[in-house]
Amino acid sequence: MIDVLVVSVGSTGGWRAADRELADAMARAGATVELVSTPPPPRVRTFALTDLVQARLARQAAQRGIAEHEPRAVVYCSVTASLLWPRPGAIFLDSVAAENRPGRHGVWQRPVERRRLREAPLLLTWSERALEPVRDWHADAFVVSPPVAVPPAATGGMRDVAAVTYAGNPVKRRLGLVLEAWAAARRDGEQLVVAGTDTITPSAGVEVAGTLAPDDFHALLSRARLFLAAPEREDFGIAALEALAHGCRLVTTPAPGPYPALALARELDPRLVSDDLPAAIRTALDAPRPGYVARAAELLTPFRREAADRTIANQVLPRLLPGWTAG
């Protein structure tokens, strides 16, 4: 018998990293933990079918893990992973179908989600705003954000890159809008580096880095003055938080979704949160607010690994494992 079984769909690199971090944090607190993952889900045509495929894979993985490890508690990583659960468990989530699966996209997921959010013994949310769309009809919740880790002295190097953007999904990241804004705002010698995709070709003032390993992406952020973002909606946005941690100024359009970096950006310098991206870009490059980087480091404290470890050790595990005490 183990303490906790963590069930991961791992549909993206970000989710796989977050699920592993959660399992490792519980282990650091002294719990015995096993993480079971589904195979990569096949690509299908609709959101409703995508969620069904992922939920079935998660159910199968959970059944195998429960039979093999006899866990005292189960944590499902994402609401989707919990939809067809074989046994109630806590849910680790970035956002809810009530918000990100409107209309026909969530025709079966939303009613099932309502039951799961009530039946779960505990919810572990990535941000304060993750549960806003479902108001008060859900189980007790704690914020356990995936940690924003930055190597020592990552913010002290030469800022020889004007701007970086991440476009792992160019449509959802509205890369076209970002490129148009950059073309309108840039001056001679200023370069925008596009990471996460190789679907575009380099052009004047635009360099294409393609898909980068995490360490290489962090190294790029440590050289950049700005991070540009214009998402259609944002569930969490780890890249924007990492950019702030690396000392970049965040220039972003307002976007729906939990998007915790948006609230930080507004507090740090509201001039840089605007639908007028060209103007915001020039403001960030030409008239940066003093103290921005130091204040960003302070605001990121809740997103550090140490904060998640304290919450898991002192609040989450005692609720999941009756009689369990930290240390």
Side-chain angles (χ1 to χ4, degrees), residues 201-213:
T201 57
S203 59
V206 177
E207 178 183 335
V208 180
T211 302
L212 298 174

Side-chain angles (χ1 to χ4, degrees), residues 164-178:
V164 169
T165 192
Y166 175 78
N169 184 320
V171 175
K172 291 182 179 179
R173 300 293 171 185
R174 296 202 296 178
L175 178 58
L177 178 62
V178 171

Side-chain angles (χ1 to χ4, degrees), residues 35-59:
L35 186 148
V36 294
S37 300
T38 69
R43 295 180 66 86
V44 293
R45 296 187 61 179
T46 67
F47 284 128
L49 185 55
T50 294
D51 292 345
L52 178 60
V53 168
Q54 293 184 6
R56 291 182 65 183
L57 290 172
R59 177 181 176 84

Side-chain angles (χ1 to χ4, degrees), residues 89 124 136 153 293:
L124 312 177
D136 297 325
V293 174

Side-chain angles (χ1 to χ4, degrees), residues 4-237:
V4 184
L5 179 74
V6 176
V7 180
S8 170
V9 173
S11 53
T12 67
W15 263 107
R16 289 190 292 274
D19 298 347
R20 172 49 64 187
E21 280 284 352
L22 177 67
D24 289 347
M26 291 181 171
R28 286 193 294 271
T32 53
V33 185
E34 290 289 339
L35 186 148
V36 294
S37 300
T38 69
R43 295 180 66 86
V44 293
R45 296 187 61 179
T46 67
F47 284 128
L49 185 55
T50 294
D51 292 345
L52 178 60
V53 168
Q54 293 184 6
R56 291 182 65 183
L57 290 172
R59 177 181 176 84
Q60 293 164 5
Q63 288 173 324
R64 291 193 300 270
I66 291 168
E68 181 176 355
H69 299 294
E70 301 182 30
R72 294 174 61 195
V74 180
V75 179
Y76 298 93
C77 294
S78 80
V79 173
T80 301
S82 75
L83 292 176
L84 300 179
W85 64 20
R87 165 180 158 182
I91 305 174
F92 184 48
L93 63 101
D94 60 344
S95 62
V96 291
E99 181 174 33
N100 65 18
R101 293 292 188 263
R104 62 183 177 81
H105 297 298
V107 66
W108 75 273
Q109 304 98 306
R110 292 191 303 273
V112 179
E113 174 183 79
R114 287 194 290 272
R115 296 198 298 272
R116 295 294 178 261
L117 295 179
R118 288 193 299 264
E119 296 165 351
L122 199 63
L123 304 177
L124 312 177
T125 70
W126 290 22
S127 67
E128 294 282 355
R129 293 190 56 247
L131 294 171
E132 278 188 3
V134 295
R135 300 183 184 275
D136 297 325
W137 45 266
H138 56 73
D140 291 343
F142 295 109
V143 176
V144 181
S145 298
V148 178
V150 177
T155 61
M158 178 70 69
R159 298 285 169 172
D160 59 337
V161 173
V164 169
T165 192
Y166 175 78
N169 184 320
V171 175
K172 291 182 179 179
R173 300 293 171 185
R174 296 202 296 178
L175 178 58
L177 178 62
V178 171
L179 294 176
E180 288 177 10
W182 180 249
R186 70 175 290 268
R187 293 176 181 161
D188 289 346
E190 293 176 340
Q191 288 286 118
L192 167 67
V193 179
V194 179
T197 183
D198 56 6
T199 59
I200 64 170
T201 57
S203 59
V206 177
E207 178 183 335
V208 180
T211 302
L212 298 174
D215 287 348
D216 294 332
F217 184 59
H218 285 192
L220 176 61
L221 291 176
S222 71
R223 297 168 51 203
R225 296 169 64 189
L226 312 181
F227 184 84
L228 305 185
E232 287 184 335
R233 70 177 309 278
E234 188 63 87
D235 293 327
F236 186 66

Side-chain angles (χ1 to χ4, degrees), residues 174 177 181 252-255 271-280:
R174 296 202 296 178
L177 178 62
T252 181
T253 56
R271 301 174 301 167
L272 309 189
V273 179
S274 174
D275 286 314
D276 187 353
L277 273 182

